[in-house]
Amino acid sequence: MPLSPEVLTAKGEMVARLGDFDISLAPDEEPWFTIDGIESPRQIGSDGSGGAFVLLPSRNVLYVSSEGRAGIIAESFEAFIQLVVARPYWLDILKFSTGGDLSEMRRAADALEATLDDEDGINEAREDIRRGLDLPEADDPVGALYEAVATSDAIVRATDGSPFTTLFNRFSIDNNPMLRNAAA
């Protein structure tokens, strides 16, 4: 059975280990964004900063931040969960992408990975989640994230009609002393 929000919900112990991803199949009571061409977006979760995850009719996963940024982040729900497991700091990778540069995203991922506390425990948790969900390891999660965001064609709008901007941000890890030192 392919991984779906419903299958994941049934495995509550795995959901609890996914960090900042809170799965919820109940839609927001007050919609705060619209997606051009999609009548009733299917929100499948949220994160601690107020962002929403939406499963599109195409099966892509869209992320809508509470700060006015949005884009497709995975080609499928399974690819999204692979990303969350492999790179739970995926949003920071986009933040430090210098406007969508794949090599900078890879540098950011390496630096962010180097700053993790209890690397052995995190790797063990990753393996437990993959095993518990029968989820293959992602071949290139950073490359897949880049490709999904770079080719994202979803137009998300605030309730006033203004469009959200790309998830790629202009920062580099060189702007952050902790990450710059971790990358050295």
Side-chain angles (χ1 to χ4, degrees), residues 14-145:
M14 292 296 124
V15 174
R17 298 189 81 178
L18 291 177
D20 200 24
F21 173 61
D22 179 28
I23 192 163
S24 172
L25 302 180
D28 276 349
E29 292 184 24
E30 277 296 314
W32 51 276
F33 63 88
T34 60
I35 306 167
D36 287 4
I38 298 177
E39 188 70 29
S40 299
R42 182 176 179 214
Q43 186 171 334
I44 55 169
S46 60
D47 66 13
S49 67
F53 298 94
V54 177
L55 188 60
L56 299 174
S58 64
R59 309 308 294 161
N60 293 337
V61 176
L62 173 78
Y63 177 71
V64 182
S65 81
S66 59
E67 288 84 34
R69 295 181 176 274
I72 293 171
I73 57 170
E75 67 180 13
S76 67
F77 184 74
E78 183 171 296
F80 166 62
I81 298 301
Q82 286 175 316
L83 172 65
V84 170
V85 170
R87 301 291 181 256
Y89 41 78
W90 61 269
L91 197 52
D92 288 328
I93 292 172
L94 293 170
K95 176 181 179 179
F96 295 107
S97 70
T98 62
D101 181 308
L102 179 57
S103 63
E104 285 297 314
M105 291 173 65
R106 291 189 193 287
R107 280 185 67 219
D110 290 344
L112 289 159
E113 189 74 14
T115 65
L116 293 176
D117 292 332
D118 188 22
E119 187 176 338
D120 291 337
I122 290 169
N123 287 330
E124 183 180 315
R126 287 172 173 157
E127 283 305 312
D128 288 349
I129 292 168
R130 286 186 195 111
R131 197 173 25 258
L133 297 175
D134 194 26
L135 186 69
E137 188 169 349
D139 290 331
D140 180 10
V142 176
L145 176 62

Side-chain angles (χ1 to χ4, degrees), residues 31-34 156-164:
W32 51 276
F33 63 88
T34 60
V156 178
R157 297 183 186 277
T159 53
D160 69 359
S162 58
F164 283 40

